[in-house]
Amino acid sequence: MTRPDVIVIGAGAGGAATAWRLTQRGLHVLIIEAGPRYEPARDYKLHTARWELERFPFKPGAQGKHSFDVNVPLAPKWDDLHSWNAVSGRLNRSGERVVADAGYHHVRGVGGSTLHYTGESHRLHPKSMKLHKDFGVGADWPLSYADLEPYYTEAEKLVGVAGSKGEGARWRSEPYPLPAHLLCKASRHIAEAAHSLGMHWQANSRAALSRPYDDRPACNYCGNCGYGCPIGDKGSADVTFIRHALASGRCTIQPDTQVTRLMSNADGRITGIEAVNAQQGVQVLEAPVVVLAGGAVETPRLLLNSATSTFSKGLANGNGQVGRNFMDSLIWVSTGMVDAQLDSYKGLPADAICWDYNAPDGIPGVVGGCRFTSATQEMGLTGPVNYARRIVPGFGAKFKQDMRSSLGRALSVSGFGEMLPNEDTRIELDLSRRDASGLPLARIRSRLTEQDFRRLRFMAGKCREILKAAGVKTLVEEFSTYDYFSATHVFGSCRMGEKPEDSVVNAFGRAHECKNLYIADASIFPSTGGGESPSLTIFALAIRTADHIAQKADRSG
Amino acid sequence: MGGLLLGAWLFPINLAVAQSRVSSSYEETLRIFVDALLPADDLTPAASVLEVHTQILKDAAQDTVLQQLIADGCQWLEQSIGSLATLDSAQLERLLLAMSEADWDSGPKNFFYQIRDRAVTYYYADSRAWAGSAINHPPQPVGYPEIIDFK
């Protein structure tokens, strides 16, 4: 490719959608991706006996390194929210909040974190976009649901989202491209139990095909979206946006290539990007426009690591907002055993959802809502290893009998809640820890507030209530972000806004201080929503940003 | 037998000493231990038939903390009980039960928990352990398309 029209940094949800739309508009795009390519049929291990051990197979370079500042003493007042299971008892005995596994659960690669995502495809509640105006907290989006709605529709069509007719406040100009999935047996059981409590559950809108579409097969309900989809029904960015972008002939991807610096002039224009890989060493790449889509942790990291004498606090960071307003994930899951055999390891993960408490005023006494989902498969209770390690205690002959009688009878319900920005939660550079290129790592600093604990307690109460109504007599596991930092969804660290003094980018994702730099990932979200999964909103914003870039390119000739 | 668990390990074990003794004695102790955790039944073999104990020892070769745990635990068992081979199945069961119910701060509990965790992981990641279970094949390539049928 001769010099591209746009360089996109990151081939995850935002980068892929941006690149696709730009190629549709006739622009040439170079995507630089830090991680590897995945070949679904070869790389994912769901056809092997060891699939539970292999989980999502992280190839070399598929995970970034980060440091964490999350360890604060756990407040006894909220101790009923601790994580535990039937085999291990209390899981965190340290007395402090700690990092669970990798902490920030992500994938670097062509497709990014969509490679391991469940594929919930949610539009944001319109009220979540006006938190400051309507509720006096957080920040408002500088655009409305109506502005974004056409792009939601475009993204749903490209991905092949399967959904049911209506989702309350989230009005639609067109129906979903595919019909909703029918619920699996376990989720029907949950929905019926919740209905008896006055809750309304429905089929979740999912980036998993309910029938063949776009040369991809329908889902076969194997229950393990999070371990990588080998057949391609899951609408990860590689088999959707990236595939079509490459087919246009106007897109090139350079995987396994780390961008180390954005080079800029005194006016704040990006003049080039410095990138490094094993084959070519250090290269400097140029394009008139750069789109940064590294996610809410790596995007601010790159900006902060691109400081110059003119922009001493980091690129696009004259106001000190880069890295601020970071928001992560508020999660509660309860699991119990029912007497009936529900085959709960089978079916589409998160196929059923309840939006009853999702609006910002949905939970009594707090601002910021939540949603509830059928979670058994998402919790990994799809095979014997996880049952044995976590929820079936004991040993010997009786244990083996218990295992045989338990498989398929676990039932999990999860709550996902809103987080509001706070002064103490942010992304910073950790000058004491550096990567192979000598660049400081991102340090993820997370603190929960009283409102977060109250939302967690509400979610815990509801999950337990639903399971009890479903016939659960014995709870066997509960997981909570009260005592663990465990974030799949991260947001806010380069938020969009009308005013340059308290935001990093404008309503089209363009950096206030860098006229040819755009950001297209969840770092630009001013709010998280009441538990909505962000991928569809990332896709929609990215497509809108790409249209804006293309229009400006047309006008400039 | 429960009194033997009070106070956990009596002496810390030097890692260099442990390395020189990690082979046959500890392997045999570990083999008997995992077979007590996961014995044979009418449908499925004992853990050692699936080489669960050797997989754990392979892990320990790369993990000094695990290696130390195995050395400490096996040496404590041998010093406290003697050879596990001299115990009958009821005695083994009582021993494991006592270890499983010990304090979380104790060596026996930690040994029981860590070895059990690895043992069940390797055991149930082997299709020979699935006979008689509802889950008797990996999720792909067939999946479970029947699960959405209403009946």
Side-chain angles (χ1 to χ4, degrees):
Chain A
M1 177 186 278
T2 51
R3 191 170 102 142
D5 298 308
V6 181
I7 291 175
V8 174
I9 301 172
T18 306
W20 166 73
R21 186 58 148 208
L22 290 171
T23 59
Q24 271 209 322
R25 295 285 185 247
L27 275 69
H28 287 82
V29 179
L30 170 63
I31 304 176
I32 307 294
E33 166 53 50
R37 279 187 207 270
Y38 276 81
E39 299 295 332
R42 182 194 66 197
D43 291 332
Y44 303 138
K45 306 297 183 191
L46 288 175
H47 60 288
T48 69
R50 292 171 71 95
W51 95 88
E52 289 187 271
L53 264 71
E54 301 283 351
R55 299 166 67 181
F56 181 86
F58 286 98
K59 297 168 77 164
Q63 281 187 301
K65 290 187 171 46
H66 311 94
S67 66
F68 296 89
D69 174 5
V70 307
N71 296 56
V72 292
L74 296 173
K77 174 181 169 184
W78 304 103
D79 196 59
D80 58 300
L81 301 175
H82 70 264
S83 305
W84 64 276
N85 69 36
V87 169
S88 306
R90 187 173 190 128
L91 292 175
N92 174 3
R93 294 184 177 80
S94 71
E96 296 183 326
R97 194 171 186 232
V98 296
V99 175
D101 294 330
Y104 167 39
H105 305 289
H106 68 285
V107 180
R108 295 176 123 180
V110 178
S113 293
T114 68
L115 296 176
H116 79 160
Y117 81 163
T118 297
E120 296 181 279
S121 290
H122 300 151
R123 298 182 172 202
L124 204 61
H125 194 297
K127 278 191 186 178
S128 292
M129 302 173 86
K130 296 291 173 210
L131 283 185
H132 194 261
K133 173 173 168 290
D134 293 342
F135 301 96
V137 298
D140 292 339
W141 291 55
L143 65 155
S144 66
Y145 180 88
D147 292 327
L148 203 52
E149 201 280 333
Y151 298 97
Y152 275 133
T153 302
E154 291 257 17
E156 287 164 350
K157 281 182 189 166
L158 194 285
V159 167
V161 174
S164 53
K165 268 191 295 201
E167 289 176 357
R170 300 168 177 79
W171 57 265
R172 306 180 57 83
S173 56
E174 293 182 35
Y176 280 102
L178 294 169
H181 293 268
L182 298 175
L183 299 189
C184 68
K185 194 194 303 185
S187 296
R188 293 200 298 271
H189 189 78
I190 289 172
E192 285 160 11
H195 182 72
S196 73
L197 300 171
M199 295 174 75
H200 171 245
W201 282 61
Q202 65 186 76
N204 200 356
S205 42
R206 296 283 272 98
L209 302 180
S210 53
R211 56 183 61 160
Y213 182 84
D214 190 30
D215 295 324
R216 291 157 49 213
C219 179
N220 65 5
Y221 303 103
C222 81
N224 288 276
C225 303
Y227 294 165
C229 181
I231 69 173
D233 70 88
K234 186 175 83 168
S236 50
D238 56 333
V239 301
T240 55
F241 293 103
I242 294 287
R243 179 167 63 98
H244 286 288
L246 290 173
S248 72
R250 286 185 286 275
C251 180
T252 307
I253 302 180
Q254 219 176 304
D256 301 301
T257 302
Q258 174 84 39
V259 174
T260 51
R261 194 163 64 98
L262 302 175
M263 300 154 69
S264 59
N265 62 21
D267 294 330
R269 284 195 72 83
I270 308 295
T271 55
I273 72 165
E274 189 179 87
V276 61
N277 64 27
Q279 289 76 38
Q280 294 158 287
V282 177
Q283 4 164 20
V284 174
L285 302 162
E286 296 174 359
V289 174
V290 174
V291 177
L292 181 48
V297 175
E298 288 297 324
T299 283
R301 177 185 175 228
L302 182 58
L303 292 175
L304 294 172
N305 272 330
S306 298
T308 63
S309 54
T310 309
F311 299 98
S312 59
K313 291 194 284 188
L315 201 57
N317 193 33
N319 59 11
Q321 288 289 296
V322 171
R324 296 276 172 174
N325 310 304
F326 177 72
M327 297 165 282
D328 55 84
S329 307
L330 205 65
I331 304 167
W332 178 273
V333 189
S334 289
T335 300
M337 305 302 289
V338 292
D339 292 336
Q341 176 52 260
L342 293 178
D343 298 328
S344 61
Y345 53 90
K346 299 181 181 180
L348 187 68
D351 59 348
I353 194 163
C354 173
W355 292 112
D356 292 356
Y357 306 96
N358 165 252
D361 52 359
I363 300 177
V366 296
V367 177
C370 69
R371 48 93 164 188
F372 296 96
T373 326
S374 54
T376 319
Q377 298 95 339
E378 266 197 307
M379 289 305 291
L381 293 170
T382 57
V385 170
N386 276 286
Y387 271 74
R389 293 186 75 198
R390 290 158 52 188
I391 64 172
V392 182
F395 62 92
K398 182 174 183 309
F399 162 72
K400 290 180 82 172
Q401 286 164 7
D402 289 343
M403 278 290 293
R404 290 194 182 103
S405 66
S406 295
L407 290 172
R409 294 195 299 111
L411 211 57
S412 306
V413 177
S414 67
F416 231 109
E418 180 128 30
M419 278 193 78
L420 299 176
N422 67 67
E423 263 303 303
D424 297 314
T425 297
R426 55 184 176 264
I427 303 297
E428 327 174 288
L429 290 181
D430 185 347
L431 301 180
S432 68
R433 292 194 60 195
R434 294 170 183 263
D435 66 10
S437 298
L439 292 168
L441 301 184
R443 177 165 53 224
I444 300 173
R445 181 180 158 96
S446 173
R447 299 287 187 270
L448 298 182
T449 67
E450 177 92 2
Q451 296 262 304
D452 297 321
F453 294 129
R454 290 170 73 184
R455 269 182 234 106
L456 274 172
R457 187 169 271 164
F458 177 82
M459 295 194 291
K462 282 293 173 196
C463 287
R464 290 165 178 162
E465 197 182 345
I466 292 166
L467 287 176
K468 190 173 173 192
V472 163
K473 297 186 186 67
T474 314
L475 288 176
V476 290
E477 183 177 76
E478 295 190 308
F479 180 79
S480 163
T481 50
Y482 155 72
D483 50 354
Y484 281 103
F485 176 86
S486 181
T488 46
H489 304 162
V490 288
F491 316 79
S493 48
C494 293
R495 76 178 180 196
M496 61 164 80
E498 287 172 350
K499 293 185 285 186
E501 51 266 31
D502 63 5
S503 58
V504 177
V505 300
N506 69 11
F508 291 102
R510 198 201 71 190
H512 293 305
E513 293 182 357
C514 302
K515 300 295 185 256
N516 63 340
L517 174 66
Y518 292 79
I519 300 178
D521 57 41
S523 68
I524 68 175
F525 284 34
S527 66
T528 67
E532 289 91 327
S533 284
S535 57
L536 191 70
T537 303
I538 296 171
F539 293 147
L541 285 169
I543 295 170
R544 185 169 178 269
T545 290
D547 276 358
H548 179 76
I549 293 170
Q551 282 162 15
K552 285 172 69 89
D554 286 343
R555 283 199 297 272
S556 69
Chain B
M1 190 170 288
L4 290 169
L5 300 183
L6 294 175
W9 317 134
L10 296 177
F11 306 106
I13 302 295
N14 180 280
L15 183 60
V17 172
Q19 281 178 329
S20 71
R21 297 184 57 199
V22 79
S23 55
S24 59
S25 166
Y26 292 173
E27 184 170 342
E28 180 60 9
T29 299
L30 205 58
R31 183 192 69 76
I32 296 171
F33 197 89
V34 301
D35 279 352
L37 289 171
L38 295 156
D41 60 21
D42 291 342
L43 295 171
T44 50
S48 63
V49 173
L50 306 189
E51 300 287 340
V52 165
H53 59 302
T54 55
Q55 291 182 79
I56 294 173
L57 286 169
K58 271 189 197 158
D59 284 350
Q62 312 292 328
D63 180 344
T64 53
V65 173
L66 178 60
Q67 192 175 88
Q68 184 75 61
L69 175 78
I70 291 173
D72 287 349
C74 289
Q75 185 156 22
W76 173 81
L77 283 167
E78 287 170 11
Q79 287 178 348
S80 308
I81 312 292
S83 167
L84 292 188
T86 63
L87 301 182
D88 63 29
S89 57
Q91 288 171 318
L92 268 173
E93 187 172 328
R94 284 201 297 277
L95 170 63
L96 262 59
L97 185 63
M99 293 176 77
S100 73
E101 292 176 348
D103 288 339
W104 272 106
D105 292 336
S106 74
K109 173 71 171 226
N110 193 27
F111 181 86
F112 174 88
Y113 175 77
Q114 298 288 346
I115 300 302
R116 179 194 183 279
D117 188 56
R118 284 172 176 77
V120 299
T121 298
Y122 288 127
Y123 188 77
Y124 285 109
D126 190 315
S127 57
R128 291 173 288 177
W130 300 347
S133 290
I135 301 174
N136 53 23
H137 62 82
Q140 293 287 354
V142 176
Y144 305 111
E146 76 284 359
I147 197 57
I148 60 167
D149 289 340
F150 283 93
K151 290 287 184 285

